[in-house]
Amino acid sequence: MAKTDVLTLAILGILETSPLHGYQIRKQLGGELGPFRALSYGSLYPALKRMVGEGLIGADAPEESTRGSRRSKISYRLTDAGKARLHEELANAGTSSWEDDAFDVRFSMFDRTDSVTRLRILEGRRTRLAQRLEDAGLNLRRVRERQDGYTAELHRHGLETVEREVEWLDRLIDEERSALGGKPSSAGADN
Amino acid sequence: MAKTDVLTLAILGILETSPLHGYQIRKQLGGELGPFRALSYGSLYPALKRMVGEGLIGADAPEESTRGSRRSKISYRLTDAGKARLHEELANAGTSSWEDDAFDVRFSMFDRTDSVTRLRILEGRRTRLAQRLEDAGLNLRRVRERQDGYTAELHRHGLETVEREVEWLDRLIDEERSALGGKPSSAGADN
DNA sequence: TTCGTCATGTAATGGGTTACATGATTAC
DNA sequence: GTAATCATGTAACCCATTACATGACGAA
């Protein structure tokens, strides 16, 4: 199975709804708070080019006609191969750790993801965060020992942020579970 | 003024307290939740080498003696030039946007930073986050329009996280201000 | 004696940004 | 006419990771 990097996935996702120019893609990606808040054209255009080469997307340059040399707007759209890849990814969504970067992108496509996969993604993320929390907890003693109040405060705030995200995930997981018809399960108990 | 990247700054900061091996540096940096949670040796050792070349740190290999070919533990310590650079950075701390990456590292050295600089760093960070919040707010309407509940929820959670960090900063800023003897100022009012 | 951890390093590669270069279109 | 924004692209660079290679030391 071909591997799909996060940017590719995000582009596939954003183009599924409708064809867009590179410029528009960037704007829409920039709207999210996520990893592509400030994606540069130096990343975007080469990526689009590559994806065209791989057959995932098609580039529609409107009317090269009347031999105007003017390089003009190009509309990118998903090809069938692109759709196939996207749906493969949508059904797939590993629990592997690289998924951490992709979480936002995956989440933003939840409306096109089946609920079992959604649950898998949410739980994967939760597990990784809980692990991080645990690792950080082991350092807490050490941090307190070298007492520097500011460092401790930074650490505390970091932990708090992650804890809150775990709570958020727990809420979402519960919602997914009950929507799935199951009993809510004792989420949040193992923390 | 020579520019100092975040990693260099972090290393300078961690070596000020006491000399350490590369391995120990990595462990200590890994303890934080910040940018170097999982710094690789492939980054660390070349950086140390470079810093030795720049004269910022010195490498003490214990007793190359008795011509044993054994490459052994190397202790890195700050040179006078390294101390000078660190203090320069400590007093300096811009409000420029690259500072965003460096925030955690700067903060972790607050016990060695004067309170005016601390305030400048905290306010700089707050301003940049508030800006981000504002930008994201403009997109809120658009996000709501394309209604997808999950995307909206992701957005909402992102905003909430940033808002909380702003509140945290406000608290710290107030504390710094009152420690400075000033009146607390109406922090938080311009949000 | 073997496993885990301490310890140092290089080469290949990846994935991004910055700076640069160009030009069309729209609004004032 | 001129400024802002839309729009596309390349080249140079930066900084990090991964995979690899090596080896010491202590404990079971």
Side-chain angles (χ1 to χ4, degrees):
Chain A
M1 176 183 55
K3 67 179 170 195
T4 309
D5 64 79
V6 196
L7 178 54
T8 302
L9 184 58
I11 293 173
L12 290 175
I14 216 164
L15 287 183
E16 200 195 17
T17 311
S18 79
L20 291 173
H21 305 152
Y23 190 90
Q24 293 174 313
I25 292 173
R26 189 200 186 232
K27 257 207 324 190
Q28 289 208 19
L29 252 26
E32 334 278 321
L33 284 293
F36 302 119
R37 256 198 20 253
L39 181 69
S40 70
Y41 294 118
S43 293
L44 177 60
Y45 284 112
L48 288 170
K49 208 177 187 181
R50 194 204 63 226
M51 289 171 74
V52 170
E54 290 169 351
L56 296 173
I57 59 178
D60 300 320
E63 313 304 315
E64 187 62 55
S65 71
T66 59
R67 83 180 196 300
S69 68
R70 43 206 276 280
R71 164 189 60 167
S72 201
K73 300 208 227 184
I74 298 172
S75 227
Y76 293 96
R77 57 177 165 73
L78 280 197
T79 60
D80 290 339
K83 276 175 214 166
R85 172 70 70 83
L86 177 61
H87 291 145
E88 187 189 310
E89 285 292 335
L90 245 32
N92 230 322
T95 311
S96 46
S97 86
W98 89 275
E99 292 292 337
D100 245 8
D101 307 307
F103 178 76
D104 281 6
V105 174
R106 298 275 192 204
F107 196 105
S108 73
M109 300 192 292
F110 263 19
D111 59 327
R112 285 160 279 171
T113 306
D114 66 281
S115 77
V116 173
T117 306
R118 287 200 295 257
L119 208 41
R120 181 150 33 88
I121 292 171
L122 292 170
E123 284 168 343
R125 172 88 175 164
R126 195 204 183 276
T127 301
R128 288 188 303 276
L129 288 187
Q131 182 60 53
R132 199 186 296 180
L133 234 33
E134 198 184 315
D135 295 348
L138 297 179
N139 289 327
L140 243 182
R141 199 186 54 253
R142 197 167 50 68
V143 171
R144 302 249 156 130
E145 270 160 20
R146 55 177 160 96
Q147 245 330 9
D148 158 15
Y150 286 108
T151 302
E153 175 62 18
L154 181 61
H155 206 263
R156 197 201 55 70
H157 177 249
L159 284 179
E160 191 184 303
T161 300
V162 178
E163 273 160 13
R164 262 198 239 281
E165 179 158 356
V166 169
E167 283 161 26
W168 178 66
L169 288 168
D170 282 337
R171 207 164 59 240
L172 294 170
I173 287 170
D174 262 8
E175 279 169 28
E176 289 293 342
R177 283 227 181 87
S178 31
L180 214 58
K183 35 194 172 99
S185 94
S186 54
D190 63 310
N191 192 13
Chain B
M1 176 182 56
K3 67 179 168 191
T4 309
D5 64 79
V6 197
L7 178 55
T8 301
L9 184 58
I11 293 174
L12 290 175
I14 216 164
L15 287 183
E16 200 195 16
T17 312
S18 78
L20 290 173
H21 305 152
Y23 190 89
Q24 293 174 313
I25 292 173
R26 192 204 184 227
K27 258 206 323 190
Q28 289 207 21
L29 252 26
E32 334 277 323
L33 282 295
F36 302 120
R37 252 195 26 252
L39 180 69
S40 70
Y41 295 118
S43 291
L44 177 60
Y45 285 112
L48 289 171
K49 207 176 186 181
R50 194 203 66 226
M51 290 170 73
V52 170
E54 290 169 351
L56 297 173
I57 59 178
D60 300 321
E63 314 303 316
E64 188 61 54
S65 69
T66 59
R67 84 178 192 304
S69 68
R70 42 204 278 281
R71 164 188 61 167
S72 200
K73 300 208 228 184
I74 299 172
S75 227
Y76 295 96
R77 57 180 165 72
L78 281 196
T79 61
D80 290 339
K83 274 176 215 165
R85 173 70 70 82
L86 177 61
H87 291 143
E88 187 189 310
E89 284 292 335
L90 244 33
N92 230 323
T95 313
S96 46
S97 85
W98 89 277
E99 292 292 336
D100 245 8
D101 307 306
F103 178 76
D104 281 6
V105 174
R106 298 275 192 206
F107 196 106
S108 72
M109 300 192 293
F110 263 20
D111 59 327
R112 283 159 281 170
T113 307
D114 67 282
S115 77
V116 172
T117 306
R118 287 200 296 257
L119 207 42
R120 180 151 33 88
I121 292 172
L122 292 170
E123 283 169 343
R125 171 88 174 165
R126 194 204 184 276
T127 301
R128 289 189 302 276
L129 289 186
Q131 183 58 55
R132 199 185 297 181
L133 234 33
E134 199 183 316
D135 294 347
L138 297 180
N139 289 325
L140 242 182
R141 199 186 53 253
R142 196 169 49 68
V143 171
R144 302 247 156 133
E145 269 161 22
R146 56 176 158 94
Q147 245 332 9
D148 158 16
Y150 286 108
T151 303
E153 174 62 19
L154 181 61
H155 205 262
R156 198 200 54 71
H157 178 249
L159 284 179
E160 192 186 304
T161 301
V162 179
E163 274 160 12
R164 263 198 239 281
E165 179 158 355
V166 170
E167 283 162 24
W168 179 67
L169 289 167
D170 282 337
R171 208 163 59 240
L172 294 169
I173 287 170
D174 262 8
E175 280 168 26
E176 290 292 341
R177 284 226 182 87
S178 31
L180 214 60
K183 35 193 171 102
S185 95
S186 53
D190 63 311
N191 193 13

